[in-house]
Amino acid sequence: EVPLLESGGGLVQPGGSLRLSCATAGFSFSSSTMTWVRQAPGKGLQWVSTISENGRGTYYADLVKGRFTISRDNSKNTLFLQMNSLRAEDTAVYYCAIWATSSYALDVWGQGTTVTVSS
Amino acid sequence: SYDLTQPLSVSVALGQTARITCGGYNIERKNVHWYQRKPGQAPVLVIYRDANRPSGIPERFSGSNAGNTATLTISRAQAGDEADYYCQMWDGSSAIFGGGTKLTVL
């Protein structure tokens, strides 16, 4: 059983929108802080956004603030990332990850979904 | 904003010890985590809170943090340790990653 499975990536034109999903299983999703991290081609890991267990606390990197929205559905054990006004520089593999209260680190990661922003 | 500085690359001979550094102002006051990322695979946490190993990570991986430098040490380096390694910390409500270090095992 894969604990984290991202989907929703694809090719989109600049200015377009995509909604990423992260289906989870095998752990207490509703008790877990969740995070999106991305990696652009040839670049390093970059934090995108974090959401608290109940969804009331949301945090964004400056580069995506105002364009991306993180959310969650605890009844469906699913994490989302709504991405609007996409730019070429948003092209990356997007990972969802669990932030563990025991380690204060991102201790489980999904395999990622690829987003390509290009005309 | 807070910056974490890593060397672009580190090379180590097979069986020897590799040290990957992560520099930041007074980084010793932060909890530093380390991730390993191999091509085509998801990142894996190898050290958390400076010096702790998650279950399943070999004892060859260790970490330290003092002054302005956190260090990931890989003893008895193996070919399978070739990967990119990233340090990471939380600055308030933001996560910060170092630029990553490519480890080559010769």
Coordinates of all heavy atoms in Angstrom, one line a residue, chain B:
Chain B
S1 N 15.8 36.6 4.1 CA 15.4 35.2 4.3 C 16.6 34.4 4.6 O 17.8 34.8 4.3 CB 14.7 34.6 3.1 OG 15.5 34.7 1.9
Y2 N 16.4 33.3 5.2 CA 17.5 32.4 5.6 C 18.0 31.6 4.5 O 17.2 31.0 3.7 CB 17.1 31.5 6.8 CG 18.2 30.9 7.6 CD1 18.7 31.6 8.7 CD2 18.7 29.7 7.2 CE1 19.7 31.0 9.5 CE2 19.7 29.1 8.0 CZ 20.2 29.8 9.1 OH 21.2 29.2 9.8
D3 N 19.4 31.5 4.3 CA 19.9 30.7 3.2 C 20.7 29.5 3.8 O 21.4 29.7 4.8 CB 20.9 31.6 2.4 CG 20.1 32.5 1.5 OD1 19.0 32.2 1.1 OD2 20.6 33.7 1.3
L4 N 20.7 28.4 3.1 CA 21.5 27.2 3.4 C 22.4 27.0 2.2 O 21.9 26.8 1.1 CB 20.6 26.0 3.7 CG 19.7 26.1 4.9 CD1 18.8 24.9 5.0 CD2 20.5 26.3 6.2
T5 N 23.7 26.9 2.5 CA 24.7 26.7 1.5 C 25.3 25.4 1.5 O 25.9 24.9 2.5 CB 25.8 27.8 1.6 OG1 25.2 29.1 1.6 CG2 26.8 27.7 0.5
Q6 N 25.2 24.7 0.4 CA 25.9 23.3 0.3 C 26.8 23.4 -0.9 O 26.6 24.1 -1.9 CB 24.8 22.3 0.0 CG 23.8 22.0 1.0 CD 22.9 20.9 0.7 OE1 21.6 21.1 0.6 NE2 23.4 19.7 0.4
P7 N 27.9 22.6 -0.8 CA 28.8 22.4 -2.0 C 28.0 21.7 -3.1 O 27.2 20.9 -2.9 CB 29.9 21.6 -1.5 CG 29.4 20.8 -0.3 CD 28.3 21.7 0.3
L8 N 28.3 22.1 -4.4 CA 27.6 21.5 -5.5 C 27.9 20.0 -5.6 O 27.1 19.2 -5.9 CB 28.1 22.2 -6.8 CG 27.4 23.6 -7.1 CD1 28.0 24.2 -8.3 CD2 25.9 23.4 -7.2
S9 N 29.2 19.6 -5.3 CA 29.5 18.2 -5.4 C 30.6 17.8 -4.4 O 31.4 18.6 -3.9 CB 30.1 18.0 -6.8 OG 31.3 18.7 -7.1
V10 N 30.5 16.5 -4.1 CA 31.5 15.9 -3.2 C 31.8 14.6 -3.8 O 30.9 13.8 -4.2 CB 31.0 15.8 -1.7 CG1 31.8 14.8 -0.9 CG2 30.8 17.1 -1.1
S11 N 33.1 14.2 -3.8 CA 33.5 12.9 -4.3 C 34.2 12.1 -3.1 O 34.8 12.7 -2.2 CB 34.5 13.1 -5.4 OG 34.0 13.7 -6.5
V12 N 34.0 10.8 -3.1 CA 34.5 10.0 -2.1 C 34.9 8.7 -2.7 O 34.2 8.1 -3.6 CB 33.5 9.8 -0.9 CG1 32.3 9.1 -1.4 CG2 34.2 9.0 0.2
A13 N 36.0 8.1 -2.3 CA 36.5 6.8 -2.7 C 35.6 5.7 -2.1 O 35.2 5.9 -0.9 CB 37.9 6.6 -2.4
L14 N 35.4 4.7 -2.8 CA 34.6 3.6 -2.3 C 35.2 3.1 -0.9 O 36.4 2.9 -0.8 CB 34.6 2.4 -3.3 CG 33.8 1.2 -3.0 CD1 32.3 1.6 -3.1 CD2 34.1 0.1 -3.9
G15 N 34.3 3.0 0.1 CA 34.8 2.6 1.4 C 35.3 3.6 2.3 O 35.5 3.4 3.5
Q16 N 35.4 4.8 1.8 CA 35.9 5.9 2.6 C 34.8 6.8 3.1 O 33.6 6.4 2.9 CB 36.9 6.8 1.8 CG 38.1 6.1 1.3 CD 38.9 5.5 2.5 OE1 39.3 6.2 3.5 NE2 39.1 4.2 2.5
T17 N 35.1 7.8 3.9 CA 34.1 8.7 4.5 C 33.8 9.9 3.7 O 34.8 10.7 3.4 CB 34.5 9.0 5.9 OG1 34.7 7.8 6.7 CG2 33.5 9.9 6.6
A18 N 32.5 10.2 3.5 CA 32.1 11.4 2.8 C 31.5 12.4 3.8 O 30.7 11.9 4.7 CB 31.1 11.1 1.7
R19 N 31.8 13.6 3.7 CA 31.2 14.6 4.5 C 30.6 15.7 3.7 O 31.3 16.3 2.8 CB 32.2 15.2 5.5 CG 32.7 14.2 6.5 CD 33.8 14.8 7.5 NE 34.2 13.8 8.5 CZ 35.1 12.9 8.3 NH1 35.8 12.9 7.1 NH2 35.5 12.1 9.2
I20 N 29.3 16.0 3.9 CA 28.6 17.0 3.1 C 28.1 18.1 4.1 O 27.5 17.8 5.1 CB 27.4 16.4 2.4 CG1 27.8 15.3 1.4 CG2 26.6 17.4 1.7 CD1 26.7 14.5 0.8
T21 N 28.5 19.3 3.8 CA 28.2 20.4 4.7 C 27.0 21.2 4.3 O 26.6 21.2 3.1 CB 29.4 21.3 4.9 OG1 29.8 21.8 3.6 CG2 30.6 20.6 5.5
C22 N 26.5 21.9 5.3 CA 25.3 22.8 5.0 C 25.5 24.0 5.9 O 25.5 23.9 7.2 CB 24.0 22.0 5.4 SG 22.5 23.0 5.3
G23 N 25.8 25.1 5.3 CA 26.2 26.3 6.0 C 25.0 27.3 6.2 O 24.2 27.5 5.3
G24 N 24.9 27.9 7.4 CA 23.9 28.9 7.6 C 24.2 29.6 8.9 O 24.8 29.0 9.8
Y25 N 23.8 30.9 9.0 CA 24.1 31.7 10.2 C 23.5 31.0 11.4 O 22.3 30.8 11.5 CB 23.6 33.1 10.0 CG 23.8 34.0 11.2 CD1 25.1 34.4 11.5 CD2 22.8 34.4 12.0 CE1 25.3 35.2 12.6 CE2 23.0 35.2 13.1 CZ 24.3 35.6 13.4 OH 24.5 36.4 14.5
N26 N 24.4 30.7 12.4 CA 23.9 30.1 13.7 C 23.0 28.9 13.4 O 22.0 28.7 14.2 CB 23.1 31.2 14.5 CG 24.0 32.0 15.4 OD1 25.2 31.6 15.6 ND2 23.5 33.0 16.0
I27 N 23.4 28.1 12.5 CA 22.5 27.0 12.1 C 22.4 26.0 13.3 O 21.5 25.2 13.3 CB 23.1 26.3 10.8 CG1 22.0 25.4 10.2 CG2 24.3 25.5 11.1 CD1 22.4 24.8 8.9
E28 N 23.4 26.1 14.2 CA 23.3 25.1 15.3 C 22.0 25.4 16.2 O 21.7 24.5 16.9 CB 24.5 25.3 16.2 CG 24.6 26.7 16.9 CD 25.9 26.8 17.8 OE1 26.6 25.8 17.9 OE2 26.1 27.9 18.4
R29 N 21.4 26.5 16.0 CA 20.2 26.8 16.8 C 18.9 26.2 16.1 O 17.8 26.3 16.6 CB 20.0 28.3 17.0 CG 21.1 28.9 17.8 CD 20.8 30.4 18.1 NE 21.7 31.0 18.9 CZ 21.6 32.2 19.5 NH1 20.5 32.9 19.2 NH2 22.6 32.7 20.2
K30 N 19.2 25.7 14.9 CA 18.0 25.1 14.1 C 18.1 23.6 14.1 O 19.1 23.0 14.3 CB 18.1 25.6 12.6 CG 18.3 27.1 12.5 CD 17.1 27.8 12.8 CE 17.2 29.3 12.4 NZ 16.0 30.1 12.8
N31 N 17.0 23.0 13.9 CA 16.9 21.5 13.6 C 17.1 21.3 12.1 O 16.3 21.8 11.3 CB 15.5 21.0 14.0 CG 15.4 20.9 15.5 OD1 16.2 20.4 16.2 ND2 14.3 21.4 16.0
V32 N 18.2 20.6 11.8 CA 18.5 20.4 10.4 C 18.2 18.9 10.0 O 18.5 18.0 10.8 CB 20.0 20.7 10.1 CG1 20.4 20.4 8.6 CG2 20.3 22.2 10.4
H33 N 17.6 18.8 8.9 CA 17.2 17.4 8.3 C 18.0 17.2 7.0 O 18.3 18.2 6.3 CB 15.7 17.3 8.1 CG 14.9 17.9 9.2 ND1 14.9 17.4 10.5 CD2 14.1 19.0 9.2 CE1 14.1 18.1 11.3 NE2 13.6 19.1 10.5
W34 N 18.2 16.0 6.7 CA 18.9 15.6 5.5 C 18.1 14.6 4.7 O 17.6 13.7 5.2 CB 20.3 15.0 5.8 CG 21.3 16.0 6.4 CD1 21.5 16.2 7.7 CD2 22.2 16.8 5.6 NE1 22.5 17.2 7.8 CE2 22.9 17.5 6.6 CE3 22.5 17.0 4.3 CZ2 23.9 18.4 6.2 CZ3 23.5 17.8 3.9 CH2 24.2 18.6 4.8
Y35 N 18.1 14.8 3.3 CA 17.3 14.0 2.4 C 18.3 13.5 1.3 O 19.1 14.2 0.9 CB 16.1 14.7 1.8 CG 15.2 15.3 2.8 CD1 15.4 16.6 3.3 CD2 14.1 14.5 3.3 CE1 14.5 17.1 4.3 CE2 13.3 15.1 4.2 CZ 13.5 16.4 4.7 OH 12.6 16.9 5.7
Q36 N 18.0 12.2 0.9 CA 18.8 11.6 -0.2 C 17.8 11.5 -1.3 O 16.7 11.0 -1.2 CB 19.3 10.3 0.2 CG 19.9 9.5 -0.8 CD 20.1 8.0 -0.4 OE1 19.1 7.3 -0.3 NE2 21.3 7.5 -0.2
R37 N 18.3 11.9 -2.5 CA 17.4 11.8 -3.7 C 18.2 11.1 -4.8 O 19.2 11.7 -5.3 CB 16.8 13.1 -4.2 CG 15.8 12.9 -5.3 CD 15.1 14.1 -5.7 NE 14.2 13.8 -6.8 CZ 14.5 13.6 -8.1 NH1 15.8 13.6 -8.4 NH2 13.6 13.4 -9.0
K38 N 17.8 10.0 -5.2 CA 18.4 9.3 -6.3 C 17.5 9.5 -7.6 O 16.3 9.8 -7.5 CB 18.5 7.8 -6.1 CG 19.4 7.4 -4.9 CD 19.4 5.9 -4.6 CE 20.4 5.6 -3.5 NZ 20.5 4.2 -3.2
P39 N 18.2 9.5 -8.8 CA 17.4 9.8 -10.0 C 16.2 8.9 -10.1 O 16.2 7.7 -10.0 CB 18.5 9.5 -11.1 CG 19.8 9.7 -10.4 CD 19.6 9.2 -9.0
G40 N 15.1 9.6 -10.5 CA 13.8 8.9 -10.7 C 13.1 8.4 -9.4 O 12.1 7.7 -9.5
Q41 N 13.7 8.7 -8.3 CA 13.1 8.3 -7.0 C 12.6 9.4 -6.2 O 13.2 10.6 -6.3 CB 14.0 7.4 -6.3 CG 14.4 6.1 -7.0 CD 15.3 5.2 -6.2 OE1 15.3 5.3 -4.9 NE2 16.0 4.3 -6.8
A42 N 11.7 9.2 -5.3 CA 11.3 10.2 -4.3 C 12.4 10.5 -3.3 O 13.2 9.6 -3.0 CB 10.1 9.8 -3.6
P43 N 12.5 11.7 -2.8 CA 13.5 11.9 -1.7 C 13.2 11.0 -0.5 O 12.1 10.6 -0.2 CB 13.2 13.4 -1.3 CG 12.6 14.0 -2.6 CD 11.8 12.9 -3.1
V44 N 14.3 10.7 0.2 CA 14.2 9.9 1.4 C 14.9 10.6 2.6 O 16.0 11.1 2.4 CB 14.9 8.5 1.2 CG1 15.0 7.7 2.5 CG2 14.2 7.7 0.1
L45 N 14.2 10.7 3.7 CA 14.8 11.3 4.9 C 15.9 10.3 5.4 O 15.6 9.2 5.7 CB 13.7 11.5 5.9 CG 14.2 12.1 7.3 CD1 14.6 13.5 7.1 CD2 13.0 12.0 8.3
V46 N 17.1 10.8 5.6 CA 18.2 10.0 6.1 C 18.7 10.5 7.5 O 19.2 9.6 8.3 CB 19.4 10.0 5.1 CG1 19.0 9.2 3.9 CG2 20.0 11.3 4.8
I47 N 18.5 11.7 7.8 CA 18.8 12.2 9.2 C 17.8 13.3 9.5 O 17.5 14.2 8.7 CB 20.2 12.9 9.2 CG1 21.3 11.8 9.0 CG2 20.5 13.7 10.5 CD1 21.5 10.9 10.2
Y48 N 17.3 13.3 10.7 CA 16.4 14.3 11.2 C 16.9 14.9 12.5 O 17.6 14.2 13.3 CB 15.0 13.8 11.3 CG 14.8 12.7 12.4 CD1 14.4 13.1 13.7 CD2 14.9 11.4 12.1 CE1 14.2 12.1 14.7 CE2 14.7 10.4 13.1 CZ 14.4 10.8 14.4 OH 14.1 9.8 15.3
R49 N 16.5 16.1 12.7 CA 16.9 16.9 13.9 C 18.4 16.7 14.2 O 18.8 16.2 15.3 CB 16.1 16.5 15.1 CG 14.7 17.2 15.1 CD 14.0 17.0 16.4 NE 13.3 15.7 16.5 CZ 13.4 14.9 17.5 NH1 14.2 15.2 18.5 NH2 12.8 13.8 17.5
D50 N 19.2 17.1 13.2 CA 20.7 17.1 13.2 C 21.4 15.8 13.2 O 22.4 15.6 12.5 CB 21.1 17.8 14.5 CG 20.6 19.3 14.6 OD1 20.3 19.9 13.6 OD2 20.6 19.8 15.8
A51 N 20.9 14.8 14.0 CA 21.8 13.6 14.2 C 21.0 12.4 14.4 O 21.6 11.4 14.8 CB 22.7 13.9 15.4
N52 N 19.7 12.3 14.1 CA 18.9 11.1 14.3 C 18.6 10.4 13.0 O 18.3 11.0 12.0 CB 17.6 11.6 15.0 CG 17.8 12.2 16.3 OD1 18.0 11.5 17.4 ND2 17.8 13.5 16.4
R53 N 18.7 9.1 13.1 CA 18.5 8.3 11.9 C 17.1 7.7 12.0 O 16.7 7.0 13.0 CB 19.5 7.1 11.8 CG 20.8 7.5 11.1 CD 21.7 6.3 11.0 NE 22.2 5.9 12.4 CZ 21.7 4.9 13.0 NH1 20.8 4.1 12.5 NH2 22.2 4.6 14.2
P54 N 16.3 7.8 10.9 CA 15.0 7.1 10.8 C 15.3 5.6 10.8 O 16.4 5.2 10.4 CB 14.4 7.6 9.5 CG 15.1 8.9 9.2 CD 16.5 8.7 9.7
S55 N 14.3 4.8 11.1 CA 14.4 3.4 11.0 C 14.6 3.0 9.6 O 14.1 3.6 8.7 CB 13.2 2.7 11.6 OG 12.0 3.1 10.8
G56 N 15.5 2.0 9.4 CA 15.9 1.6 8.0 C 17.0 2.3 7.4 O 17.5 1.8 6.4
I57 N 17.5 3.4 8.0 CA 18.7 4.1 7.5 C 19.9 3.5 8.1 O 20.0 3.4 9.4 CB 18.6 5.6 7.7 CG1 17.4 6.2 7.1 CG2 19.9 6.3 7.2 CD1 17.3 6.0 5.6
P58 N 20.9 3.1 7.3 CA 22.1 2.4 7.9 C 22.8 3.3 8.9 O 22.8 4.5 8.8 CB 23.0 2.2 6.7 CG 22.0 2.2 5.5 CD 21.0 3.1 5.9
E59 N 23.5 2.7 9.8 CA 24.3 3.4 10.8 C 25.5 4.2 10.2 O 26.0 5.0 10.8 CB 24.8 2.4 11.9 CG 23.8 1.8 12.8 CD 24.4 0.9 13.8 OE1 25.6 0.8 13.9 OE2 23.6 0.2 14.5
R60 N 25.8 3.9 9.0 CA 26.8 4.6 8.3 C 26.5 6.0 8.1 O 27.4 6.9 7.9 CB 27.1 3.9 6.9 CG 27.5 2.5 7.0 CD 27.8 1.9 5.6 NE 26.7 2.0 4.6 CZ 26.6 2.9 3.7 NH1 27.5 3.8 3.5 NH2 25.6 2.8 2.9
F61 N 25.2 6.4 8.2 CA 24.8 7.8 8.0 C 24.7 8.4 9.4 O 24.0 7.9 10.3 CB 23.4 7.8 7.3 CG 23.5 7.5 5.8 CD1 23.5 6.2 5.4 CD2 23.4 8.5 4.9 CE1 23.6 5.9 4.1 CE2 23.5 8.2 3.5 CZ 23.6 6.9 3.1
S62 N 25.4 9.5 9.5 CA 25.3 10.3 10.8 C 25.3 11.8 10.5 O 25.6 12.2 9.4 CB 26.5 9.9 11.7 OG 27.7 10.3 11.1
G63 N 24.9 12.5 11.5 CA 24.9 14.0 11.3 C 25.3 14.7 12.5 O 25.3 14.2 13.6
S64 N 25.7 16.0 12.3 CA 26.1 16.8 13.4 C 25.8 18.3 13.0 O 25.5 18.6 11.9 CB 27.6 16.7 13.7 OG 28.4 17.1 12.5
N65 N 25.8 19.1 14.0 CA 25.4 20.5 13.8 C 26.1 21.4 14.9 O 25.8 21.2 16.1 CB 23.9 20.7 13.8 CG 23.5 22.0 13.4 OD1 24.3 22.9 13.0 ND2 22.1 22.3 13.4
A66 N 27.0 22.2 14.4 CA 27.7 23.1 15.4 C 28.0 24.4 14.7 O 28.4 24.4 13.5 CB 28.9 22.4 15.9
G67 N 27.9 25.5 15.5 CA 28.3 26.8 14.9 C 27.4 27.2 13.7 O 26.2 27.2 13.8
N68 N 28.1 27.4 12.6 CA 27.4 27.8 11.4 C 27.4 26.7 10.3 O 27.0 26.9 9.2 CB 28.1 29.0 10.7 CG 28.0 30.2 11.6 OD1 27.0 30.5 12.2 ND2 29.1 30.9 11.7
T69 N 27.6 25.4 10.8 CA 27.7 24.3 9.8 C 27.1 23.0 10.3 O 27.4 22.6 11.4 CB 29.2 24.0 9.4 OG1 29.8 25.2 8.9 CG2 29.2 22.9 8.3
A70 N 26.2 22.5 9.6 CA 25.6 21.2 9.8 C 26.3 20.2 8.8 O 26.6 20.6 7.7 CB 24.1 21.1 9.6
T71 N 26.6 19.0 9.3 CA 27.3 18.1 8.4 C 26.6 16.7 8.4 O 26.3 16.2 9.4 CB 28.8 17.9 9.0 OG1 29.4 19.2 9.0 CG2 29.6 17.0 8.1
L72 N 26.5 16.2 7.2 CA 26.1 14.8 7.0 C 27.3 14.0 6.7 O 28.1 14.3 5.8 CB 25.1 14.7 5.8 CG 24.7 13.3 5.4 CD1 23.9 12.6 6.4 CD2 24.0 13.3 4.0
T73 N 27.5 12.9 7.5 CA 28.7 12.1 7.3 C 28.2 10.7 6.9 O 27.3 10.1 7.5 CB 29.5 12.0 8.6 OG1 29.9 13.3 9.0 CG2 30.7 11.1 8.4
I74 N 28.8 10.2 5.8 CA 28.5 8.9 5.3 C 29.8 8.1 5.4 O 30.8 8.3 4.7 CB 28.0 8.9 3.9 CG1 26.8 9.8 3.7 CG2 27.6 7.5 3.4 CD1 26.4 10.1 2.3
S75 N 29.8 7.1 6.3 CA 31.0 6.2 6.5 C 31.0 5.1 5.6 O 29.9 4.6 5.2 CB 31.1 5.8 7.9 OG 31.0 6.9 8.8
R76 N 32.1 4.6 5.2 CA 32.3 3.3 4.4 C 31.3 3.5 3.2 O 30.5 2.7 2.9 CB 31.9 2.1 5.2 CG 32.8 1.9 6.4 CD 32.5 0.7 7.2 NE 31.1 0.6 7.7 CZ 30.7 1.3 8.7 NH1 31.5 2.0 9.4 NH2 29.4 1.1 9.1
A77 N 31.6 4.5 2.4 CA 30.7 4.9 1.3 C 30.6 3.7 0.3 O 31.6 3.0 0.0 CB 31.2 6.1 0.6
Q78 N 29.4 3.5 -0.2 CA 29.1 2.5 -1.1 C 28.6 3.1 -2.4 O 28.1 4.2 -2.4 CB 28.0 1.5 -0.6 CG 28.4 0.9 0.8 CD 27.2 0.0 1.3 OE1 26.2 -0.1 0.7 NE2 27.5 -0.7 2.4
A79 N 28.6 2.3 -3.5 CA 28.2 2.8 -4.8 C 26.7 3.2 -4.7 O 26.3 4.2 -5.4 CB 28.4 1.7 -5.8
G80 N 26.0 2.5 -3.9 CA 24.5 2.9 -3.8 C 24.2 4.2 -3.1 O 23.1 4.6 -3.0
D81 N 25.3 4.8 -2.5 CA 25.1 6.0 -1.8 C 25.2 7.2 -2.8 O 24.9 8.4 -2.4 CB 26.2 6.2 -0.7 CG 26.1 5.2 0.4 OD1 25.0 4.7 0.6 OD2 27.2 4.9 1.0
E82 N 25.5 6.9 -4.0 CA 25.6 8.0 -5.0 C 24.2 8.6 -5.2 O 23.2 7.9 -5.5 CB 26.1 7.5 -6.4 CG 27.5 7.5 -6.5 CD 28.0 7.6 -7.9 OE1 27.2 7.5 -8.9 OE2 29.2 7.8 -8.1
A83 N 24.1 9.9 -4.9 CA 22.8 10.6 -4.9 C 23.0 12.1 -4.7 O 24.1 12.5 -4.5 CB 21.9 10.0 -3.8
D84 N 21.9 12.8 -4.8 CA 21.9 14.2 -4.4 C 21.4 14.2 -2.9 O 20.5 13.5 -2.6 CB 21.0 15.0 -5.3 CG 21.5 15.1 -6.7 OD1 22.7 15.1 -6.9 OD2 20.6 15.2 -7.6
Y85 N 22.1 15.0 -2.2 CA 21.7 15.2 -0.7 C 21.3 16.6 -0.5 O 22.0 17.6 -0.9 CB 22.9 14.7 0.2 CG 23.1 13.3 0.1 CD1 23.9 12.7 -0.9 CD2 22.5 12.4 1.0 CE1 24.1 11.3 -1.0 CE2 22.7 11.0 0.9 CZ 23.5 10.5 -0.1 OH 23.7 9.2 -0.1
Y86 N 20.2 16.8 0.3 CA 19.7 18.1 0.6 C 19.6 18.3 2.1 O 19.0 17.4 2.8 CB 18.4 18.3 -0.1 CG 18.4 18.3 -1.6 CD1 18.2 17.1 -2.3 CD2 18.5 19.5 -2.3 CE1 18.2 17.1 -3.6 CE2 18.5 19.5 -3.7 CZ 18.4 18.3 -4.3 OH 18.4 18.3 -5.7
C87 N 20.0 19.4 2.6 CA 19.7 19.8 4.0 C 18.5 20.6 4.0 O 18.1 21.2 2.9 CB 20.9 20.5 4.7 SG 21.4 22.0 3.9
Q88 N 17.8 20.6 5.1 CA 16.5 21.4 5.2 C 16.2 21.8 6.6 O 16.6 21.1 7.6 CB 15.4 20.5 4.7 CG 14.0 21.2 4.7 CD 13.1 20.7 5.8 OE1 13.1 19.5 6.2 NE2 12.4 21.6 6.5
M89 N 15.6 22.9 6.8 CA 15.2 23.4 8.1 C 13.9 24.2 7.9 O 13.5 24.5 6.8 CB 16.3 24.2 8.7 CG 16.8 25.4 7.8 SD 17.5 26.7 8.7 CE 16.1 27.6 9.2
W90 N 13.3 24.4 9.1 CA 12.1 25.3 9.1 C 12.5 26.7 9.7 O 13.1 26.7 10.7 CB 11.0 24.6 9.9 CG 10.5 23.4 9.3 CD1 11.0 22.1 9.6 CD2 9.5 23.2 8.3 NE1 10.3 21.2 8.8 CE2 9.4 21.8 8.0 CE3 8.6 24.1 7.7 CZ2 8.5 21.3 7.1 CZ3 7.7 23.6 6.8 CH2 7.6 22.2 6.5
D91 N 12.1 27.7 9.0 CA 12.3 29.1 9.4 C 10.9 29.7 9.6 O 10.3 30.1 8.7 CB 13.1 29.8 8.3 CG 13.5 31.2 8.8 OD1 13.5 31.5 10.0 OD2 13.7 32.1 7.9
G92 N 10.5 29.6 10.9 CA 9.1 30.0 11.1 C 8.2 29.0 10.5 O 8.2 27.8 10.8
S93 N 7.3 29.5 9.6 CA 6.4 28.6 8.9 C 6.8 28.2 7.5 O 6.0 27.7 6.7 CB 5.0 29.2 8.9 OG 5.1 30.5 8.3
S94 N 8.1 28.5 7.1 CA 8.6 28.2 5.8 C 9.7 27.1 5.9 O 10.5 27.1 6.8 CB 9.2 29.5 5.2 OG 8.3 30.5 5.1
A95 N 9.6 26.2 4.9 CA 10.7 25.2 4.9 C 11.8 25.7 3.9 O 11.5 26.3 2.8 CB 10.1 23.9 4.4
I96 N 13.0 25.6 4.3 CA 14.1 26.0 3.5 C 15.0 24.8 3.2 O 15.4 24.1 4.1 CB 14.9 27.1 4.2 CG1 14.1 28.3 4.5 CG2 16.2 27.5 3.4 CD1 14.7 29.4 5.4
F97 N 15.3 24.7 1.9 CA 16.2 23.6 1.5 C 17.6 24.2 1.0 O 17.6 25.3 0.5 CB 15.7 22.9 0.3 CG 14.5 21.9 0.6 CD1 13.2 22.4 0.6 CD2 14.8 20.6 1.0 CE1 12.2 21.5 0.9 CE2 13.8 19.8 1.3 CZ 12.4 20.2 1.2
G98 N 18.6 23.5 1.3 CA 19.9 23.8 0.7 C 19.9 23.5 -0.8 O 18.9 22.8 -1.3
G99 N 20.8 24.0 -1.5 CA 20.8 23.8 -3.0 C 21.1 22.4 -3.4 O 20.9 22.1 -4.6
G100 N 21.6 21.5 -2.5 CA 21.8 20.1 -2.9 C 23.3 19.9 -3.2 O 24.0 20.8 -3.8
T101 N 23.7 18.7 -2.9 CA 25.1 18.3 -3.1 C 25.1 16.9 -3.8 O 24.4 16.0 -3.3 CB 25.9 18.1 -1.8 OG1 26.0 19.4 -1.2 CG2 27.3 17.6 -2.1
K102 N 25.7 16.9 -5.0 CA 25.8 15.6 -5.7 C 27.0 14.8 -5.1 O 28.2 15.2 -5.2 CB 26.0 15.8 -7.2 CG 26.1 14.5 -8.0 CD 26.2 14.8 -9.5 CE 26.2 13.5 -10.3 NZ 25.1 12.6 -10.0
L103 N 26.7 13.6 -4.6 CA 27.8 12.8 -4.1 C 28.1 11.7 -5.1 O 27.3 11.0 -5.6 CB 27.3 12.0 -2.8 CG 28.3 11.0 -2.2 CD1 29.5 11.8 -1.7 CD2 27.7 10.2 -1.1
T104 N 29.4 11.7 -5.4 CA 30.0 10.7 -6.4 C 30.9 9.8 -5.6 O 31.8 10.2 -4.9 CB 30.8 11.4 -7.5 OG1 29.9 12.3 -8.2 CG2 31.3 10.4 -8.5
V105 N 30.6 8.5 -5.8 CA 31.5 7.5 -5.2 C 32.4 6.9 -6.2 O 32.0 6.3 -7.2 CB 30.6 6.4 -4.5 CG1 31.5 5.3 -3.9 CG2 29.7 6.9 -3.5
L106 N 33.7 7.1 -6.0 CA 34.7 6.7 -7.0 C 35.2 5.3 -6.9 O 35.2 4.8 -5.8 CB 35.9 7.7 -7.0 CG 35.5 9.2 -7.1 CD1 36.8 10.0 -6.8 CD2 35.0 9.5 -8.5

